Amino acid sequence: MTQEYALDTILAQAGNRTDPRTGAVSTPIFLSTAYGHHGIGESTGFDYTRTKNPTRVVLEETMAKLDGGDAAFAFASGMAAIQVLMTLFKAPDEWIVSSDVYGGTYRLLDFCHKNTHGVKPVYVNTADVSAIESVITPNTKAIFVETPSNPLMEECDVKAIAKLAKKHNLLLIVDNTFLTPMLYRPMDDGADVTIYSGTKYIAGHNDVLAGLIVAKGQELCERLFYIQNGAGAVLSPFDSWLTIRGLKTLSLRMKRHQQSAQQIAEFLRQQPQITDVLYSNKGGMLSFRLQDENWVNPFLKAMKLITFAESLGGTESFITYPATQTHMDIPEAERIARGVCNRLLRFSVGLEDVEDIKQDLVQALALCDK
Ligand SMILES: *Cc1c(COP(=O)(O)O)cnc(C)c1O
């Protein structure tokens, strides 16, 4: 397939025509770890599965096209992908990081900085470009942002941050897990690297753990390939196939997630038990605060359709409690200072009928102040 096709076409066709011998439409799952050679220096292009696997390559090439990058790399989890990016740096290098960042990213950066001479994270509100500029030092090497941020759903101006990054020769990394290339392509605005928890919308069915890096620039891509092969936290062939299968409907799913989230945000804003709704008006993720911290548990217990669970981006609606789930490793005072208070709930709006979702919220809200 050539690059000229629209993204929807690339998705619908992902993996087709990759096996000319059989004509398989769904790309085969190549479990073989080793690939035979005809002679010295005569590789088929595949040698050993950690280095390169035909099923994983289909996923990686599809992701590179979707994001407009030069290459993509698939890993066993989103965190494994982030760790690989961190491996490119060492103390005293610094990363400027969105203060409202995924809890697991915070935990890994914090641990590696303190224990393994890893890069030093410097947290700022990346929605404020001048705040970013004010913390740049000669050691700053990269800027890592999430947009919208998790769980407060604040957007940042990637274009302006990219300009700043260019000016100071910094790598701009965007965790685009929440929007996916269907709703936003950070590289179009100047990002050098995008990362994804493929576990979420990309695979989309709450049945595979996966991570992806898409990158621009030959030198960077070569280094990422070197570490992917060298360390080997690669995505398995079966999980690569599941992720390709999920990708095929990504465009449809994102439209529906977004449409329903817009309706749910509107609906939640009218409920007296809710003090505020945080939604960037893009994508399927939103957060809201109940009036009273003591209502959180009864509310979660009362839900019959929506599942109280820690993840997002699947077909099923999930509500997460960041205070005890995604963000519990952030010290409480710091977490609350960042706005992730004990009344905050995060909502991954699923693909169910939107009226059924609203009904479940109505009955759970009615019970929570009893
Ligand atoms: C889940 C998540 C991650 C981590 O990905 P895993 O696949 O769970 O390792 C990173 N960033 C964001 C925004 C996430 O939601």
Side-chain angles (χ1 to χ4, degrees), residues 60 63 72-89 95 102 104-105 108-109 144 171 173-177 193-199 209-215 220 223-225 227-228 231-235:
E60 292 172 334
M63 281 306 298
F73 307 89
F75 298 93
S77 72
M79 292 319 304
I82 292 173
Q83 191 190 17
V84 160
L85 281 175
M86 288 165 56
T87 313
L88 300 176
F89 302 88
W95 280 12
Y102 176 69
T105 305
L108 185 65
L109 281 166
F144 183 108
L171 196 72
I173 305 162
V174 178
D175 182 337
N176 196 34
T177 297
V193 179
T194 51
I195 76 113
Y196 295 90
S197 169
T199 317
L209 185 73
L212 296 144
I213 298 177
V214 186
L220 178 61
R223 293 185 77 199
L224 287 167
F225 178 73
I227 301 171
Q228 183 192 35
V234 292
L235 194 62

Side-chain angles (χ1 to χ4, degrees), residues 47-112:
D47 309 303
Y48 185 60
T49 193
R50 169 157 39 73
T51 314
K52 213 167 155 193
N53 170 281
T55 312
R56 199 172 80 227
V57 163
V58 170
L59 171 62
E60 292 172 334
E61 288 180 350
T62 305
M63 281 306 298
K65 280 182 201 159
L66 286 185
D67 247 344
D70 294 327
F73 307 89
F75 298 93
S77 72
M79 292 319 304
I82 292 173
Q83 191 190 17
V84 160
L85 281 175
M86 288 165 56
T87 313
L88 300 176
F89 302 88
K90 61 177 188 300
D93 293 349
E94 294 173 7
W95 280 12
I96 296 170
V97 182
S98 300
S99 51
D100 184 25
V101 77
Y102 176 69
T105 305
Y106 174 93
R107 179 175 57 196
L108 185 65
L109 281 166
D110 186 58
F111 181 88
C112 291

